[in-house]
Amino acid sequence: QVQLVESGGGLVQAGGSLRLSCAASGRTASVRAMGWFRQAPGKEREFVAAIRWSSEFTLYADSVKGRFTISKDTAKNTVYLQMNSPTPEETAVYYCTARDRPGIVRSADGQDYWGKGTLVTVFS
């Protein structure tokens, strides 16, 4: 099992910046990729970004490309999401995920572990 704990959520002004962190513990040696999803009120959970644990390969949702950056510190078993210029429409609970199967995917079904989420509120 892998446990994921997110931190860094809170209030951020539109156009500002916020960095989310996710610390992994447990069977971290099995992790092949980590990522971020989000769920806004009344909407379905959606993919934001993912990063392969053994390389710098990343995937992004088109809506965040160029504004959000996913990165990792393998020594700390931590993944980050740097959010630049967020919009109020991106107010959501942000979830950290981990995958212990080969490959890196955008689907929620393709994630094996989920954190409890951290709320990000973007105000204008």
Side-chain angles (χ1 to χ4, degrees):
Q1 292 290 322
V2 176
Q3 292 79 44
L4 304 172
V5 178
E6 303 97 337
S7 61
L11 293 172
V12 58
Q13 190 168 19
S17 295
L18 191 70
R19 189 176 82 157
L20 305 182
S21 300
C22 172
S25 61
R27 294 185 59 189
T28 56
S30 68
V31 171
R32 305 291 186 93
M34 292 186 69
W36 292 92
F37 282 69
R38 65 187 179 191
Q39 187 165 20
K43 294 188 177 181
E44 293 187 357
R45 196 169 294 190
E46 65 173 355
F47 170 78
V48 177
I51 188 166
R52 188 168 283 160
W53 208 240
S54 61
S55 73
E56 298 303 316
F57 182 79
T58 56
L59 288 176
Y60 290 95
D62 288 344
S63 60
V64 307
K65 202 173 293 184
R67 297 185 299 118
F68 291 10
T69 301
I70 189 170
S71 62
K72 59 184 169 72
D73 185 333
T74 53
K76 296 181 178 180
N77 291 319
T78 298
V79 66
Y80 305 96
L81 184 69
Q82 178 69 40
M83 302 171 59
N84 294 334
S85 300
T87 66
E89 292 72 30
E90 293 178 308
T91 291
V93 176
Y94 283 71
Y95 296 92
C96 177
T97 67
R99 175 178 167 90
D100 61 11
R101 289 168 279 171
I104 179 173
V105 300
R106 301 170 184 263
S107 66
D109 289 347
Q111 312 305 312
D112 297 302
Y113 304 98
W114 292 78
K116 293 184 178 180
T118 185
L119 177 62
V120 174
T121 302
V122 185
F123 65 94
S124 57

